[in-house]
Amino acid sequence: MQRQGSFGGSAAFRIRVTGGVLLVAHLALVAWLTLRPLDVPWVTPPNVHPLAGIRADLALGGREAARRLGEGLALLAPLGVLLPAVHGRLTVSPLASLVRTAAAGALISLGITLLQTGVPGRVADVDALLLNTAGVVLAHLAVVPAGRAWLRRCAARDAREGAESGARRPVTLQEELSQGRTPTIPRVGIAP
């Protein structure tokens, strides 16, 4: 078995590790931003009516509405790229990847919203959950399909160059351990 680099991994391994480190760092930043207690004289009631907060933001005018909506979209948007990077597959259904990423983003946003209910000065807001999930989906759609296509092209080019040069490709651990079909035991009937 040949090993590449000091970690013995390929580009996929490096992408997973880098994605994992960035994911943890981003979630720590989000927790710090959203779960710090606020020192405010009064707190608004929780928003449990979908789109009511977005309508109120739009009523504030162009710049303020864009700032507030942009903050909601951008808070968890990096998860749309980091979650698939941690997953690390190049050949996966684009729809399945989008659904998994959107569901994970929605669950993380829901967790943050539920944790905020116990933090002084913070209130639950269903519109924040909607905006955060939309940000995850938009970031995923903007980056992940093109990134996976580029990585697949690079992998195909590397495989072609390796085959043309006659270089022996590295054997993976699974290929090394494979010893053929697993023997099966014929079923024996049960006595009455």
Side-chain angles (χ1 to χ4, degrees), residues 81-159:
V81 177
L82 294 175
L83 290 172
V86 171
H87 192 250
R89 287 191 176 170
L90 291 180
T91 54
V92 66
S93 165
L95 181 61
S97 176
L98 178 65
V99 168
R100 267 193 310 269
T101 304
L107 288 173
I108 291 170
S109 182
L110 178 63
I112 290 169
T113 301
L114 292 175
L115 287 172
Q116 282 179 336
T117 61
V119 177
R122 302 282 184 170
V123 293
D125 186 3
V126 70
D127 290 333
L129 186 130
L130 294 173
L131 287 171
N132 292 340
T133 305
V136 170
V137 168
L138 291 173
H140 182 87
L141 289 172
V143 176
V144 173
R148 281 190 175 141
W150 179 74
L151 288 171
R152 281 193 298 267
R153 282 193 307 271
C154 289
R157 184 188 65 225
D158 291 346

Side-chain angles (χ1 to χ4, degrees), residues 35-62:
L35 299 177
R36 286 182 304 160
L38 295 178
D39 187 25
V40 294
W42 55 275
V43 178
T44 61
N47 175 20
V48 293
H49 299 289
L51 305 177
I54 294 173
R55 276 190 225 108
D57 288 343
L58 291 173
L60 294 174

